[in-house]
Amino acid sequence: MTEQVPAGNSDDNRMDPPLVDLPINTHDKGFYDGFSRSVTIPAKVIVSLIIMWAIFFPVSANETLVAANNTIIATFSGWYVYLVAVLMVVTLVLAIIPQSGSLRIGNPGEEPEFGFFSWFAMLFGAGIGIGMLTYSTGEPLAHWQNNPDIIRGTVEPLSQEAIGPAYLYTFLHWGLAAWGAYGLVGLAIGYVAYRRNLPLTIRSSLAPLFGKVMSGGAGHVVDVVAVVATILGVAVTMGLGVEQFVAGLYRLGMGDWLMNAEGTSSPAAIIISLVLLVGASTISALSGVGKGIKWLSNINMGLSIAMLALFAVVGAGFYGLELLGVAVFEYLRNLPQLALTLFSSDGSSVGDALVRWQLDWSVFYWAWWIAFAPFVGMFIARISRGRTVREYVFGVLLVPSLMCFVWMTLVGGTAIDLELSGVANGAIVGAPMSDQLYATLAVLLSPGVAWVVSGLVVILLMTYLITSADSAILIVNTINGAGETDGQRRRHILFWGAALAFMVGSMLIIGGIDAIRITMIIGALPFSVVVALMAISIVKAVIFDIIRTRQGVPCTAEACEDWDPAQ
């Protein structure tokens, strides 16, 4: 049943306790023992069909994807822009209001499973680590050359005046918007799973709205959509990482065979890299969250801090910190306006260019974050039990956002400073995005030192790729297993590891990273509807729990066991 206030005039005219039982049928023997076949089989079929389509009909697949993307992203651009704005607001409001912020994701007094450092390391590594290595130079440099202010003609590209707008839009894409989407999904799942003892899966987050209906076909559809969106969202991240991984190996002198004539990764390099990376991630996934993923995440954090320290000391450290302070202030000051801005064409070349820029950047990012949200949200929920809503939101939204900003200003600021001063002489700006970090190191450091540091970047990138892939595999298996996080069934882990590798490899080979991006945008659309419902659901769940507390009605599964309605 859905949550409601019963009618009546007696003293027992109180709210019902929350739904604390959401049975999901799972198979009890054979290959799918412990798994929901109604979710697992359709998800496997859909992903497999996409892979086979890309492999056996590459031309048709590429043409169809481009046509579908042009239609979807133009038609639903406003939906993505306003949805992400709402997610940011809802998540922050739930943390700020005292009554909701003090509620715990779990039973009252329950302690967090992971310490703060490991918690932060895992959520950061799974959520955005790979993007930092690709976009820390790539995005500020891209917006330094072209952004809405440049399109309008108010500033010149590659000028000192263009740096401010470049970071304003960079922060817009990598700040509270991304983590608001992740945080909302994770909170909606974790809140009901750990307070109400519901399965740790996407459908549970909608139980406050739809009740036990989510046990049946509607719940199966929600979980299938989440699995497909997860695979497609992670494929984008893996694709970016593989491109940069191969570029790093090429910089290290591992052979000309790694790159093709167009300067992108060769098919052989893509295949070998995926076998290495996804193979390692599958092994890590088999060891579970508390072992492989936790230790790899801690390694990621250590190497990331060392990399930032390097740029702070030998790069444009003071310039980067100055950029950070100014850009954060401008970002927070302009965030309400930027988050709600939707460009529309007025028939002029400037209007058309603004619309094209927003579709290529902001709308793409909003779709990416939403497609990535079931994976990151589920993973954050998995590691956040025992934290209060306020601690959760501030930890998930503010700390990683600030970490992204520091990366962008220290690393990207160093690249911009080298170009502005004339030292780089176009070597960084002119490099492909996947190679710009290595190009920055090559200009900044002596050849021998640059080679060593580039090797460390390749190692860091490899650990981030492995962490993201193995986390995604475990999350997909958890959804397919009706929220079961133990005994992940090795054969299914192997399937999803192989599926992820084939998805990334096939799309990179037929159309490069653009093919993966387009596929992800299409896959994100149905899940965006689920995310909107999740926002409504978590607000309803929190409000009703506050009312229950005031009425003396239990609002956790543990409290419901000992509750006597006659009291």
Side-chain angles (χ1 to χ4, degrees):
M1 63 180 174
T2 56
E3 298 177 349
Q4 58 187 346
V5 180
N9 298 315
S10 68
D11 292 338
D12 288 333
N13 185 19
R14 296 179 294 184
M15 225 177 231
D16 291 333
L19 178 69
V20 294
D21 181 32
L22 189 69
I24 302 174
N25 289 333
T26 56
H27 205 50
D28 58 1
K29 60 181 179 180
F31 187 79
Y32 288 99
D33 180 27
F35 279 71
S36 170
R37 290 189 296 182
S38 299
V39 174
T40 309
I41 294 176
K44 286 183 176 180
V45 169
I46 293 171
V47 170
S48 298
L49 288 175
I50 294 173
I51 293 170
M52 289 189 289
W53 184 39
I55 292 175
F56 296 112
F57 305 98
V59 176
S60 171
N62 200 29
E63 292 175 351
T64 304
L65 287 174
V66 170
N69 173 69
N70 291 337
T71 301
I72 289 175
I73 202 167
T75 304
F76 294 97
S77 57
W79 165 251
Y80 281 124
V81 168
Y82 298 131
L83 174 60
V84 170
V86 169
L87 298 181
M88 282 191 287
V89 172
V90 169
T91 310
L92 287 170
V93 167
L94 287 175
I96 293 171
I97 296 175
Q99 294 92 332
S100 57
S102 61
L103 293 173
R104 193 169 294 274
I105 305 173
N107 295 306
E110 187 172 352
E111 293 296 322
E113 179 181 359
F114 298 100
F116 181 78
F117 182 84
S118 292
W119 179 57
F120 172 57
M122 284 190 285
L123 69 89
F124 181 80
I128 227 159
I130 295 171
M132 284 295 88
L133 293 175
T134 301
Y135 285 100
S136 57
T137 49
E139 180 142 3
L141 287 173
H143 295 329
W144 190 37
Q145 300 171 76
N146 186 45
N147 64 58
D149 287 20
I150 293 174
I151 293 172
R152 295 186 185 101
T154 57
V155 297
E156 291 294 322
L158 301 176
S159 66
Q160 180 71 43
E161 293 74 23
I163 297 174
Y167 272 98
L168 182 62
Y169 291 107
T170 297
F171 285 8
L172 171 67
H173 297 150
W174 291 87
L176 298 179
W179 293 96
Y182 297 161
L184 188 284
V185 172
L187 181 60
I189 297 168
Y191 188 87
V192 297
Y194 295 134
R195 288 178 65 87
R196 305 180 180 187
N197 201 29
L198 300 186
L200 187 68
T201 188
I202 302 297
R203 72 174 76 190
S204 294
S205 65
L206 300 182
L209 273 183
F210 302 111
K212 287 196 173 181
V213 170
M214 301 312 297
S215 290
H220 300 332
V221 171
V222 168
D223 282 347
V224 170
V225 167
V227 169
V228 174
T230 297
I231 293 297
L232 295 177
V234 174
V236 173
T237 301
M238 291 290 293
L240 290 169
V242 167
E243 289 279 0
Q244 192 172 29
F245 182 73
V246 172
L249 294 178
Y250 181 77
R251 281 274 180 177
L252 294 176
M254 297 299 178
D256 293 338
W257 63 274
L258 291 164
M259 308 297 287
N260 57 30
E262 291 76 29
T264 56
S265 303
S266 67
I270 292 170
I271 293 170
I272 292 173
S273 297
L274 285 170
V275 170
L276 170 65
L277 296 168
V278 178
S281 67
T282 303
I283 294 172
S284 177
L286 291 170
S287 69
V289 174
K291 296 179 181 178
I293 296 175
K294 175 182 176 181
W295 289 109
L296 277 174
S297 298
N298 288 341
I299 292 172
N300 291 344
M301 281 299 296
L303 289 175
S304 297
I305 292 171
M307 188 65 59
L308 280 178
L310 172 71
F311 276 94
V313 174
V314 303
F318 288 111
Y319 179 64
L321 291 175
E322 180 183 356
L323 274 178
L324 177 65
V326 173
V328 167
F329 174 78
E330 289 299 316
Y331 165 69
L332 294 176
R333 186 172 70 88
N334 290 281
L335 180 58
Q337 175 188 351
L338 290 175
L340 296 173
T341 295
L342 180 65
F343 295 126
S344 59
S345 178
D346 56 3
S348 66
S349 59
V350 171
D352 291 343
L354 287 172
V355 171
R356 186 73 261 166
W357 181 91
Q358 188 171 43
L359 295 180
D360 289 343
W361 285 99
S362 299
V363 176
F364 159 69
Y365 272 123
W366 300 166
W368 188 10
W369 302 149
I370 289 171
F372 217 41
F375 153 52
V376 182
M378 280 277 292
F379 185 73
I380 295 174
R382 167 67 182 84
I383 62 176
S384 299
R385 182 167 188 163
R387 301 191 181 276
T388 65
V389 171
R390 183 174 298 109
E391 181 184 11
Y392 168 91
V393 170
F394 288 158
V396 171
L397 266 69
L398 301 185
V399 177
S401 293
L402 182 59
M403 189 68 173
C404 291
F405 297 164
V406 171
W407 263 97
M408 296 290 187
T409 50
L410 285 182
V411 181
T414 296
I416 289 175
D417 185 59
L418 291 171
E419 288 287 0
L420 269 179
S421 63
V423 174
N425 196 28
I428 302 173
V429 170
M433 185 177 288
S434 61
D435 191 45
Q436 285 179 331
L437 178 57
Y438 303 113
T440 303
L441 292 171
V443 174
L444 183 65
L445 306 171
S446 63
V449 177
W451 189 91
V452 172
V453 177
S454 295
L456 290 177
V457 172
V458 170
I459 293 173
L460 178 58
L461 184 63
M462 183 171 62
T463 57
Y464 271 133
L465 282 163
I466 293 171
T467 304
S468 293
D470 64 10
S471 301
I473 292 168
L474 283 178
I475 291 306
V476 166
N477 237 23
T478 299
I479 297 173
N480 291 330
E484 177 61 47
T485 58
D486 298 322
Q488 291 290 334
R489 314 302 196 279
R490 292 171 180 264
R491 52 189 174 272
H492 296 287
I493 287 177
L494 294 174
F495 172 86
W496 289 112
L500 185 58
F502 276 108
M503 177 70 75
V504 175
S506 61
M507 290 296 174
L508 280 179
I509 291 171
I510 71 164
I513 193 63
D514 285 342
I516 303 179
R517 287 166 52 137
I518 292 170
T519 309
M520 178 275 302
I521 289 172
I522 297 170
L525 183 59
F527 189 71
S528 68
V529 177
V530 176
V531 173
L533 292 173
M534 293 171 84
I536 300 171
S537 183
I538 184 60
V539 170
K540 179 179 180 181
V542 168
I543 291 175
F544 277 36
D545 277 357
I546 293 173
I547 296 173
R548 288 188 183 100
T549 301
R550 291 174 178 173
Q551 294 179 347
V553 177
C555 53
T556 65
E558 185 179 74
C560 285
E561 293 178 359
D562 302 322
W563 185 59
D564 182 1
Q567 291 179 342

